[in-house]
Amino acid sequence: MIRRGCGVSAVWAGAVLAVLVATSPAMAQTPAPSTPAKSPATAKRLEFDVGGMFLTPVGMGTQDMSITAANGQPVPFAKTSSRTGPSFGLEARMGFPITPRFAVEVAGSWSSVDFETEVSGDTEIPTGLTVSLGVSRLTAGGSATWRLRQKARNEIYAIGGASWLRDISELSASGVYDDGAIVDGGAGMKMLFKDAAQGKIKRVGLRFEGRVGVRIGGLTLDDKNTHISTAFLASLLIGS
Amino acid sequence: MTSRRMSRWVIALLLISMPCAVAAYLKIGVQVGNAVITLKWKTLPVRYLVTNRAVAGVTAQQFQTATDAAFGSWNAVPTAQISSSFVGFTAIDPTTDSGQTVLGFESHPEDENVLGSTFWEFDTSGNPRAAHIYLNTIFQWSVASPGEPGKFDVQSIMTHEIGHLWGLSHSAIGETNQVSGGRSVVGKGAVMFPIAFPPTNGTPATTNNTIDRTLKPDDIAGISDIYATPAFLQQFGQVQGKVTLNGAGIFGAHVTAFNQRTGAIIGNFSLSNDGSFVIGGLDPGLYLVRAEPLDDADIDSFFDTPNNVNINFKATYYAKLVAVPAGGASAAIEIKVVAK
């Protein structure tokens, strides 16, 4: 459902964020183990990531513009094929370690998504054309990561999470938007240049990640409420 | 003062051809002084009588049953506040100004291409106080559920005429082919398209003119636009904008909004000299918007002043998808067309 104006909030997403924010400081303040950690990572507290995001195209089906003939059969006078094009965006995250392997993160992102419809076979317009609409997609959510493997300063991890999203269309001076959610999962790698036990900034590195997600709701050009999407991220990692 | 207006539905001609146009619903306007107001019944339910006249194969009672079903199709639209009530049979002819709404069969051999017509009587404020619908007895009629070969379907044609009774004019969502003596309908996307499907033929039928017993999205949008429920106003939206040629507005351009999610085509016309248009009754979502000249039906089926209608431009899509919100309108768009 496309909405207009402000005032609609995703209660569940807010609740998730509130829980994460409320619980994480306490966890972060948990006394260190009596025995020294084997890795500085176990002593890390907060981790920040800021980076770029690439979203792969998502098909949104075909639909004929048609009327009905006297025999009840559709008479198409144009065909349409729709998708979202390849998109880029930014994402920021803050992670909180729960155990040496397990961490939770809160994240927010913005991406610019082009909704595209290719029109062909119009009986009055012989040349095909592509009609598009720019959409700003905002997300806010949380995720959990599980470190699968650590070798030297490289970590491989699995990630799963959920986000609330808002698609805000171009040509919407009055604020046309549609809300939805993304549930996703994937894997990534952290390449640390610095992984120290002391200092304000203990960890610095790069993070690469791939996720496959199910988008529920948001703007769409077909009759499906869910769409599978893939995202790739590369970000700068800084840990305190 | 009582005034009358008439809307007719011409007979379809049989021919298959390439499709060539689409458009949308149009509301009937009533001239009151210098103003034009939308035809809208203020008193509901509309109470109607049926002329006690039968034709071959259809009794007056059967006509009434089919008419009741036709009214029912419109009354069942959840986003429109309308109702009707059958009062009884009468000896009054449908075309007689009686101050009462009378529907029935009547012979009009002078209208050899007219299946049916709708007339209104208006009060001094421009509000309808009665309506009259006749089905022309020079044609063969049927009330059989699947239709009958060689006959027109009473319920389908009455559904169209009752759309006029409520205030809808003709939709141009349809495709026709010009043939000698008129136009043949290739297909249509609205009961309110001005040309009827040809009679059902063959066994099994390759054409079925009972299709128009069922309203299409354009019909539903039109009736809801006139008799909107509060929910309709909150849940549906509009595309707004103008159609221009070299910077000047175009009057009478067909503008359609296509919802790729539902397949619905709904539209309207640019109805002012600056080319402004509004298409209402749209499900929230993204729309493909297309403007085209009104060259697929006789212009006087839609406008009283056909000379003002510009048809000398090429069909054009708006370059962007248009987002329609619930309970509001899209950003104003401008569809720039080029001359033919």
Side-chain angles (χ1 to χ4, degrees):
Chain A
M1 169 82 67
I2 288 189
R3 302 177 183 87
R4 177 182 182 179
C6 302
V8 178
S9 62
V11 175
W12 68 269
V16 168
L17 291 177
V19 168
L20 291 175
V21 172
T23 57
S24 296
M27 294 173 177
Q29 292 164 12
T30 301
S34 55
T35 54
K38 291 180 179 179
S39 163
T42 59
K44 69 182 184 290
R45 301 176 74 170
L46 296 178
E47 189 173 288
F48 302 93
D49 299 88
V50 177
M53 176 169 55
F54 172 74
L55 304 173
T56 59
V58 177
M60 291 191 171
T62 61
Q63 178 77 269
D64 287 349
M65 298 175 72
S66 61
I67 54 178
T68 306
N71 61 5
Q73 296 301 307
V75 181
F77 60 87
K79 299 177 181 296
T80 66
S81 176
S82 299
R83 64 188 172 275
T84 57
S87 312
F88 295 92
L90 300 172
E91 183 172 276
R93 291 197 236 187
M94 184 164 59
F96 308 89
I98 306 300
T99 72
R101 282 178 169 268
F102 180 68
V104 294
E105 297 179 333
V106 292
S109 74
W110 165 86
S111 55
S112 176
V113 181
D114 278 340
F115 282 66
E116 300 173 347
T117 294
E118 184 179 344
V119 183
S120 61
D122 190 297
T123 53
E124 295 191 67
I125 304 173
T127 55
L129 73 159
T130 298
V131 176
S132 65
L133 179 70
V135 170
S136 286
R137 175 168 295 162
L138 304 175
T139 69
S143 58
T145 63
W146 182 262
R147 197 179 72 217
L148 300 172
R149 187 176 176 186
Q150 181 171 15
K151 187 174 182 182
R153 288 180 172 178
N154 298 331
E155 295 178 12
I156 295 175
Y157 62 90
I159 184 169
S163 302
W164 163 86
L165 77 83
R166 172 166 291 182
D167 284 341
I168 305 173
S169 71
E170 182 190 7
L171 299 177
S172 58
S174 55
V176 178
Y177 63 88
D178 205 354
D179 293 338
I182 296 176
V183 179
D184 59 8
M189 182 171 72
K190 295 177 182 177
M191 299 172 62
L192 302 178
F193 308 134
K194 178 182 178 182
D195 191 10
Q198 303 295 325
K200 276 192 172 182
I201 297 177
K202 300 183 179 69
R203 288 158 62 91
V204 176
L206 294 176
R207 177 172 173 172
F208 302 97
E209 190 174 294
R211 295 197 300 253
V212 176
V214 178
R215 179 166 67 88
I216 305 161
L219 288 172
T220 182
L221 287 166
D222 58 18
D223 59 357
K224 296 174 183 171
N225 193 43
T226 60
H227 298 86
I228 306 293
S229 62
T230 306
F232 297 98
L233 302 98
S235 57
L236 174 66
L237 175 161
I238 298 174
S240 65
Chain B
M1 180 188 75
T2 297
S3 60
R4 291 164 60 104
R5 282 199 55 175
M6 179 180 73
S7 186
R8 293 175 166 178
W9 196 2
V10 297
I11 186 172
L13 298 173
L14 286 166
L15 198 71
I16 301 300
S17 68
M18 285 299 293
C20 52
V22 294
Y25 72 85
L26 186 65
K27 295 182 285 189
I28 291 173
V30 182
Q31 186 85 37
V32 180
N34 293 326
V36 176
I37 64 172
T38 297
L39 191 159
K40 181 177 181 179
W41 293 80
K42 297 288 191 280
T43 303
L44 297 173
V46 168
R47 296 161 59 83
Y48 69 94
L49 297 159
V50 168
T51 300
N52 197 4
R53 177 180 293 129
V55 296
V58 181
T59 66
Q61 176 65 55
Q62 288 173 320
F63 175 92
Q64 189 276 321
T65 300
T67 297
D68 189 60
F71 267 114
S73 295
W74 292 101
N75 296 347
V77 174
T79 47
Q81 293 175 306
I82 54 174
S83 58
S84 59
S85 173
F86 172 61
V87 177
F89 292 96
T90 179
I92 302 171
D93 281 332
T95 55
T96 301
D97 280 354
S98 59
Q100 301 180 90
T101 295
V102 181
L103 323 174
F105 288 114
E106 196 169 291
S107 178
H108 287 269
E110 74 282 8
D111 290 332
E112 59 184 358
N113 288 330
V114 177
L115 288 167
S117 284
T118 301
F119 306 78
W120 302 266
E121 296 177 51
F122 297 100
D123 64 20
T124 53
S125 300
N127 299 314
R129 65 185 185 100
H132 309 274
I133 297 174
Y134 76 77
L135 297 188
N136 197 341
T137 59
I138 68 171
F139 298 99
Q140 298 282 306
W141 296 97
S142 168
V143 291
S145 294
E148 285 185 79
K151 298 183 177 181
F152 288 95
D153 181 54
V154 171
Q155 184 177 331
S156 294
I157 306 303
M158 284 304 292
T159 302
H160 176 98
E161 296 301 333
I162 290 167
H164 288 317
L165 176 148
W166 286 123
L168 288 174
S169 186
H170 283 142
S171 164
I173 298 185
E175 298 165 354
T176 65
N177 189 45
Q178 187 82 49
V179 296
S180 61
R183 291 178 181 270
S184 68
V185 63
V186 176
K188 53 182 179 172
V191 170
M192 297 311 295
F193 189 71
I195 305 174
F197 281 126
T200 300
N201 67 2
T203 305
T206 56
T207 66
N208 181 351
N209 63 9
T210 63
I211 291 171
D212 281 338
R213 294 179 182 182
T214 304
L215 302 181
K216 304 298 188 297
D218 190 66
D219 306 307
I220 293 169
I223 196 70
S224 302
D225 194 30
I226 301 174
Y227 299 95
T229 61
F232 174 79
L233 297 174
Q234 293 172 0
Q235 296 169 6
F236 291 81
Q238 301 174 334
V239 169
Q240 62 179 357
K242 60 183 180 179
V243 183
T244 61
L245 172 63
N246 299 326
I250 285 184
F251 179 83
H254 302 190
V255 188
T256 56
F258 175 58
N259 186 327
Q260 297 161 81
R261 190 167 48 81
T262 64
I265 305 170
I266 299 173
N268 214 329
F269 298 81
S270 58
L271 295 173
S272 62
N273 289 331
D274 70 353
S276 295
F277 69 88
V278 175
I279 305 172
L282 304 179
D283 266 324
L286 300 180
Y287 283 82
L288 194 60
V289 181
R290 182 181 188 269
E292 65 172 4
L294 181 51
D295 57 5
D296 201 49
D298 297 331
I299 296 174
D300 58 9
S301 296
F302 304 91
F303 293 97
D304 288 337
T305 54
N307 291 340
N308 295 341
V309 175
N310 187 338
I311 60 170
N312 296 312
F313 64 94
K314 294 180 180 177
T316 305
Y317 286 94
Y318 182 60
K320 291 181 177 292
L321 295 165
V322 180
V324 174
S330 71
I333 65 173
E334 181 178 358
I335 306 173
K336 298 177 180 177
V337 300
V338 297
K340 279 182 177 175

